[in-house]
Amino acid sequence: MSSKKSTVPVSRTVALCYVRLSLTKTLDDENSPDRQRANCLEYCEFRGWTPEFYEDRDGHKSGTKEINRPGWLALKARVGDPDVVAVVANDLSRFHRKGFRMGQLIELCKEGRLELVKAGEKKSIDVNDITATMWVMMESLFNEYYAEDISRKQKDSIRYRRANGIAVGRVPFGTIRPKRDGRSG
């Protein structure tokens, strides 16, 4: 008798879909995760994939870090599984806003023979095509610059406001606002 194990091929049909809420300024921004999810779902249906969602939508989850994104970390832990066919997000900035991390994701996709998908554009990126990956890396650098630039501007605005005695954030309960030029402060 032969002691060979028979291996049953695993069907690669699971798409790991990622949704991340950025900073919310208005109530209209809160539809962003729903829109991202709908776009991912639509693309997966088009390709015949089974979507598996990982979400970081409770509060601000910066794309410049990973440690603050439990949904993303759970997705990353699943990337190497044999039933996974793709990693999907609405756009590249949902994955990361750091160029080197995007490079790491490209390498993970190459190693696992996975597709990298921008669902909002209905576009699968060939991670084995150097020209395609160069464009991805350029877009990632712009995303990183955007995040850093916005952060710098926000910090400058806060510094200026505080220096001028203007409350930043929630006004403490019971605060009486002074009038400025005849208007409420």
Side-chain angles (χ1 to χ4, degrees):
M1 292 217 18
S2 172
S3 64
K4 285 185 178 178
K5 289 183 179 179
S6 70
T7 57
V8 177
V10 175
S11 178
R12 291 173 53 117
T13 59
V14 175
L16 307 178
C17 301
Y18 184 65
V19 173
R20 178 175 63 83
L21 174 66
S22 288
L23 182 62
T24 301
K25 297 241 183 213
T26 67
L27 290 178
D28 290 344
D29 293 340
E30 291 179 4
N31 74 17
S32 172
D34 296 334
R35 178 181 43 81
Q36 292 174 49
R37 187 177 176 84
N39 286 342
C40 291
L41 185 59
E42 182 181 344
Y43 190 86
C44 288
E45 286 173 354
F46 168 72
R47 294 293 300 270
W49 294 338
T50 303
E52 189 174 292
F53 282 92
Y54 295 84
E55 300 185 3
D56 288 314
R57 58 190 296 166
D58 298 326
H60 175 59
K61 303 293 185 188
S62 174
T64 62
K65 300 175 181 68
E66 285 188 331
I67 196 73
N68 66 329
R69 298 190 288 152
W72 174 252
L73 294 174
L75 180 147
K76 260 181 74 174
R78 178 100 161 78
V79 163
D81 292 348
D83 60 337
V84 176
V85 68
V87 180
V88 181
N90 196 60
D91 59 74
L92 295 180
S93 70
R94 299 302 84 205
F95 292 126
H96 292 295
R97 285 195 185 269
K98 283 287 189 189
F100 82 92
R101 286 203 176 94
M102 201 62 216
Q104 291 171 337
L105 178 58
I106 289 170
E107 288 304 312
L108 280 174
C109 289
K110 278 184 187 179
E111 290 167 6
R113 298 181 342 269
L114 305 177
E115 290 188 43
L116 184 63
V117 175
K118 297 194 298 185
E121 295 179 31
K122 297 175 179 36
K123 183 176 183 180
S124 178
I125 298 162
D126 181 357
V127 294
N128 294 303
D129 177 356
I130 188 67
T131 303
T133 57
M134 289 294 292
W135 282 108
V136 166
M137 292 307 296
M138 286 177 56
E139 185 176 337
S140 297
L141 290 173
F142 285 117
N143 288 333
E144 182 173 351
Y145 171 77
Y146 173 79
E148 294 294 327
D149 188 48
I150 292 298
S151 174
R152 183 182 50 79
K153 288 175 181 175
Q154 282 292 100
K155 289 174 184 172
D156 179 54
S157 175
I158 290 168
R159 181 198 53 76
Y160 173 81
R161 293 176 62 126
R162 284 184 177 155
N164 286 292
I166 301 170
V168 177
R170 290 191 172 157
V171 178
F173 179 77
T175 299
I176 298 173
R177 297 182 180 195
K179 298 221 179 230
R180 292 179 190 221
D181 303 329
R183 297 178 294 160
S184 293

